[in-house]
Amino acid sequence: MRREKNKEFTKNLLIEAAMELFKKQEYQKTTIEEIVRAAGVSKPTFFAYFKSKEQILYEFDLQQLKTFEFTMKSQLNNHDDLLINLRKAIVYMADNLHTTSMITQNMLHLLTINEDYKRLLSDMFVMFQTVTKEIIDYGQQHKIVIMDITSEEIATDIVNIYVGSLVTWVISNGAASLEVHMGNTLDHFLSAINIKIK
């Protein structure tokens, strides 16, 4: 048990060290040597947990997605605020993943040059869509979401809004905060399909 906790601690230490470096400098310029130095571990320790820097990004994404899933599934009985909480959870996830426009720009660039990262991120968006679809399904079953389009279509639209918001945020050099930018876009979408938000 203690050994597993130590392994989780070391893994999280490496993720946190890497993400702090990615915030300050370009992803491509960040070396594994810098990451292990910042985390206070050895290079072999890094490779015991991760194959590459890309995998660190994926693991960080996965942590945020698990938080999103846990948050939303724990809110399912809260009918009055289900959709408000969905919006909040999506924005919170985006804000935690994309703390600076530089990190987001680096992630988008990485998608164009690294097939492994592209595949990992594609898997991530499938998971995001699946969780979102489950929430919308629940909303439809309990008459919280009332519309003529399927939960799968709504979930796809929400994922597209998420990605599109990131791209436009990077293009604007983070002129507005991501929280405001994505929150407003989600509000417009939810209003347009007649989902009532308080």
Side-chain angles (χ1 to χ4, degrees):
M1 182 87 168
R2 174 181 256 185
R3 188 174 177 185
E4 286 305 311
K5 281 188 177 178
N6 286 341
K7 285 172 83 173
E8 198 62 28
F9 176 80
T10 303
K11 184 178 181 180
N12 286 330
L13 196 65
L14 282 161
I15 292 171
E16 286 169 21
M19 294 309 294
E20 280 304 311
L21 286 165
F22 299 158
K23 282 181 202 175
K24 295 173 188 170
Q25 61 194 35
E26 286 183 35
Y27 170 86
Q28 299 287 26
K29 292 181 180 175
T30 303
T31 64
I32 290 172
E33 287 78 8
E34 288 175 306
I35 294 169
V36 297
R37 194 177 317 119
V41 300
S42 67
K43 201 168 178 182
T45 300
F46 176 93
F47 287 108
Y49 292 92
F50 304 104
K51 294 178 192 172
S52 63
K53 292 187 298 180
E54 293 79 21
Q55 197 178 12
I56 285 185
L57 283 176
Y58 174 76
E59 288 292 330
F60 185 67
D61 286 354
L62 192 57
Q63 285 178 354
Q64 303 310 311
L65 187 59
K66 284 179 179 174
T67 300
F68 167 73
E69 181 176 20
F70 175 79
T71 301
M72 287 316 304
K73 289 192 173 173
S74 68
Q75 293 289 328
L76 286 180
N77 291 327
N78 189 355
H79 290 192
D80 290 342
D81 293 333
L82 181 69
L83 297 169
I84 296 166
N85 290 330
L86 176 62
R87 175 204 180 275
K88 283 180 185 173
I90 291 170
V91 171
Y92 180 81
M93 179 173 66
D95 225 24
N96 278 337
L97 280 171
H98 303 276
T99 51
T100 67
S101 61
M102 178 180 278
I103 287 179
T104 307
Q105 187 174 345
N106 288 325
M107 287 175 165
L108 293 172
H109 175 66
L110 198 54
L111 277 173
T112 65
I113 61 171
N114 188 303
E115 284 301 316
D116 287 341
Y117 185 66
K118 190 175 187 177
R119 182 183 46 77
L120 290 172
L121 212 55
S122 176
D123 293 345
M124 186 68 59
F125 284 122
V126 168
M127 286 186 262
F128 177 29
Q129 184 170 352
T130 301
V131 173
T132 304
K133 181 186 177 303
E134 286 176 26
I135 303 308
I136 298 299
D137 277 339
Y138 181 89
Q140 288 177 329
Q141 290 163 11
H142 291 84
K143 307 286 189 252
I144 302 164
V145 177
I146 304 167
M147 64 199 62
D148 291 333
I149 55 177
T150 67
S151 58
E152 189 168 349
E153 290 171 304
I154 295 169
T156 299
D157 287 344
I158 288 172
V159 171
N160 289 337
I161 286 168
Y162 184 91
V163 175
S165 294
L166 294 177
V167 171
T168 55
W169 183 62
V170 166
I171 290 169
S172 73
N173 290 317
S177 74
L178 181 58
E179 181 181 359
V180 168
H181 180 71
M182 188 170 290
N184 287 344
T185 308
L186 283 167
D187 285 346
H188 297 157
F189 171 74
L190 296 174
S191 298
I193 57 175
N194 295 320
I195 298 178
K196 302 290 185 205
I197 305 182
K198 292 179 184 174

